[in-house]
Amino acid sequence: MAYKTKEWRNEMRVTVDYNYMTANSLGDKGITDAELRAVKGKAEEAFNYVAANRGKDELFMGWTELPYNQDEIVADILATAKQVRKKFKYFVVLGIGGSALGPIMAFNALKHLHFNELPPKKRGGAPKFYVEDNVDPVRMQALLDVIVPEETCFNVISKSGATSETMTQFLIIADILEKKGLSLPEHMIFTTDASRGNLIKIDEKYGGKFKKYVLPDGVGGRFSELCPVGLLPAAVLGIDIKGMLAGAAYMDGLCSKPNIARNPALACAVLQYISMQQGKNINVLMPYSDNLKLIADWYCQLWAESLGKAVDYAGNTVNVGTTPVKSLGVTDQHSQVQLYIEGPYDKVITFISVEKYGCEMPIAHGCDDIPDVGFLGGHTMQELIQAENKATAYALMCAGRMNYTINMPEVNAFTLGQLMFMLELQTAYTGALLNINTFNQPGVENGKKATFALLGKKGYEAQKKEMDNAPSFDSKYIV
């Protein structure tokens, strides 16, 4: 996919600086060149595993081909998005997990931080945008207080159409629309399986009138932002979805070698893998940009759900995975960094730094008689946030704390596509290094079954009986 010029693409290249992970900077607290050489063979095996299984739906690796196989889908999405912008004043995603985290992350990254408060002209004609990512009744009521259902398009996202949270949202909204005499197919777009599942059944009841997009078989929810799950909401908002896909393809090219010196995603995976073996069980992602704040939420699901596994491919009980923690620079310098610098040596901090922000915002001169304040005059907010980013990384290094930095030239659709694809590849490589199934989620499924049992869903009577026979609560442990 052609996208601007080669020179521009290279200027927009996302890079990784891991100096502060190494013994060269951290001494005996850092990773040595010998340790990197020792895992070279495993790293190549991990790379080869991912490369050999690209696009295989049965292994849920269809996401690897999304930058290349969606030209017709993208054209259709862009046409649909144009119609949505003409007809509706609100666009609401009904979903949970990856179906919600991806769209809201891209919205936060690439649109005005107060987008919904802007007048229509400043929104470029795009509707106000909301994502329902929970079944908290207060949240649903709050949404209903600010939208007009008659002027709203709802994007229902669920591959199976059996996701309890999403279908609860659907039932509530469908009831409201029908009681107002409105047509569901005119107000809803389904993103679901190609031919099966409950949303397909609902569509059949309405004579196949719903506009539908396919969530591909080989794409799990947490890897779905670059398919119609994320591309449709982004297109409705006027985000350059071709740029996002081009950025992902560009990063894929940068990660085409089984060598950590030439593959940034593999380098990050190896660093995380070695640190795990050293007892670092917390993985902090700390972007220094409010636009990138929600990339940490999206990444937390990607990392935790992919790598928190009880058994490996050999059937051994391993209970692997590190806990992802979301943080925001500069905000969390005043809430978390004290722990990072002086607490346990159990963390790796990944910074995301931005070279050029959307604006600079000069700091006015004033209070020159107060040195603690006056020195700020004449600088810019961009200078300040970048200085605090570098200073925090340096302070962590001085304290012997592992950290590395992902550098983004600026935040745009192309660089966001790079960042997402790099983090997805990093996760896949890390799972291969750990010899686990990166793409299943058996722990989540057990929680779903317990929920079904409690709500009396047919077929879950055994689970309900098991829960009823669980040890009763002892009042002495309730205070």
Side-chain angles (χ1 to χ4, degrees):
M1 181 185 294
Y3 194 79
K4 299 199 176 182
T5 66
K6 180 179 180 180
E7 291 74 17
W8 184 87
R9 293 195 298 272
N10 290 339
E11 288 176 3
M12 291 295 113
R13 178 175 176 172
V14 172
T15 61
V16 177
D17 181 345
Y18 60 92
N19 272 280
Y20 288 173
M21 293 288 290
T22 68
N24 189 53
S25 296
L26 299 176
D28 61 4
K29 296 289 195 303
I31 298 171
T32 66
D33 288 346
E35 287 173 315
L36 290 173
R37 288 193 296 270
V39 299
K40 180 180 178 182
K42 284 183 69 72
E44 290 179 355
E45 289 176 7
F47 173 88
N48 290 334
Y49 176 84
V50 173
N53 292 295
R54 288 182 66 104
K56 291 186 177 179
D57 288 348
E58 66 273 19
L59 296 178
F60 275 86
M61 290 188 65
W63 59 272
T64 56
E65 299 307 305
L66 292 176
Y68 310 105
N69 61 9
Q70 298 188 98
D71 287 352
E72 291 184 12
I73 295 168
V74 165
D76 188 273
I77 285 173
L78 290 173
T80 298
K82 185 177 180 179
Q83 293 303 312
V84 170
R85 287 197 298 273
K86 284 183 179 179
K87 185 175 179 181
F88 297 102
K89 293 183 179 179
Y90 308 89
F91 188 85
V92 177
V93 168
L94 303 180
I96 198 162
S99 301
L101 289 170
I104 195 67
M105 175 270 292
F107 169 62
N108 185 76
L110 299 175
K111 302 306 293 186
H112 192 285
L113 290 174
H114 298 289
F115 181 83
N116 286 344
E117 284 72 52
L118 293 174
K121 286 187 177 180
K122 288 192 175 182
R123 296 201 309 272
K128 293 184 177 182
F129 182 65
Y130 301 94
V131 177
E132 285 299 289
D133 189 24
N134 211 337
V135 286
D136 184 330
V138 175
R139 179 175 183 145
M140 177 58 75
Q141 184 59 59
L143 173 72
L144 297 174
D145 286 342
V146 297
I147 67 169
V148 179
E150 296 92 329
E151 299 175 336
T152 304
C153 179
F154 298 91
N155 183 198
V156 186
I157 307 175
S158 173
K159 186 170 184 61
S160 65
T163 310
S164 296
E165 298 85 357
T166 304
M167 298 314 294
T168 292
Q169 298 163 1
F170 166 80
L171 289 170
I172 291 169
I173 296 299
D175 182 61
I176 291 170
L177 293 175
E178 289 180 329
K179 284 179 177 176
K180 290 179 176 290
L182 300 171
S183 165
L184 295 192
E186 289 183 9
H187 284 266
M188 287 184 169
I189 298 173
F190 290 168
T191 305
T192 189
D193 188 83
S195 60
R196 59 185 184 273
N198 293 324
L199 290 178
I200 296 298
K201 294 176 183 177
I202 292 169
D203 181 44
E204 290 171 350
K205 286 175 59 179
Y206 284 81
K209 294 181 179 179
F210 284 92
K211 178 67 178 178
K212 299 183 296 297
Y213 287 102
V214 172
L215 204 172
D217 284 340
V219 180
R222 55 191 180 272
F223 289 85
S224 67
E225 174 56 20
L226 293 174
C227 79
V229 166
L231 296 181
L232 174 62
V236 168
L237 291 163
I239 290 170
D240 179 9
I241 61 174
K242 291 183 178 180
M244 289 171 62
L245 292 168
Y250 181 74
M251 178 55 67
D252 193 31
L254 296 177
C255 297
S256 61
K257 304 294 182 183
N259 181 344
I260 67 169
R262 300 179 63 186
N263 183 330
L266 187 60
C268 293
V270 166
L271 295 170
Q272 293 285 356
Y273 175 74
I274 293 174
S275 67
M276 287 182 199
Q277 311 311 306
Q278 297 178 351
K280 308 292 191 300
N281 62 0
I282 296 175
N283 174 10
V284 179
L285 187 66
M286 191 170 186
Y288 271 72
S289 164
D290 274 64
N291 283 113
L292 296 175
K293 177 179 180 179
L294 297 186
I295 194 79
D297 292 67
W298 173 81
Y299 176 73
C300 279
Q301 185 202 11
L302 176 70
W303 189 261
E305 211 165 64
S306 297
L307 302 182
K309 300 295 163 65
V311 298
D312 64 13
Y313 276 122
N316 301 309
T317 299
V318 289
N319 297 116
V320 296
T322 58
T323 301
V325 172
K326 55 186 180 181
S327 188
L328 177 66
V330 169
T331 300
D332 287 317
Q333 287 176 209
H334 298 269
S335 66
Q336 297 181 29
V337 167
Q338 170 63 34
L339 173 67
Y340 299 167
I341 289 180
E342 294 193 358
Y345 287 86
D346 58 357
K347 303 169 191 68
V348 173
I349 293 88
T350 305
F351 295 107
I352 303 178
S353 300
V354 178
E355 181 180 337
K356 182 181 179 182
Y357 289 76
C359 62
E360 290 199 346
M361 194 60 64
I363 302 171
H365 287 282
C367 301
D368 291 339
D369 58 327
I370 306 175
D372 289 344
V373 179
F375 82 99
L376 295 167
H379 292 288
T380 67
M381 292 186 80
Q382 174 173 311
E383 285 183 273
L384 178 59
I385 195 170
Q386 289 173 332
E388 296 210 44
N389 186 176
K390 291 177 182 178
T392 302
Y394 177 77
L396 284 162
M397 183 275 295
C398 291
R401 311 301 171 129
M402 288 185 172
N403 69 92
Y404 64 94
T405 297
I406 299 170
N407 292 300
M408 295 181 70
E410 63 183 56
V411 180
N412 59 40
F414 185 77
T415 60
L416 183 67
Q418 287 185 69
L419 178 62
M420 285 191 291
F421 207 76
M422 187 182 80
L423 294 173
E424 289 175 345
L425 279 174
Q426 171 196 341
T427 303
Y429 290 145
T430 306
L433 284 164
L434 294 168
N435 194 35
I436 58 169
N437 187 336
T438 309
F439 306 103
N440 67 356
Q441 52 191 58
V444 176
E445 298 306 319
N446 289 336
K448 289 181 180 179
K449 292 175 182 177
T451 300
F452 296 156
L454 286 172
L455 293 179
K457 184 176 180 179
K458 290 183 179 180
Y460 292 86
E461 292 81 7
Q463 285 87 349
K464 179 63 166 62
K465 183 177 180 180
E466 179 183 324
M467 296 179 74
D468 288 342
N469 291 329
S472 59
F473 290 144
D474 191 323
S475 61
K476 75 177 182 180
Y477 300 125
I478 303 174
V479 296

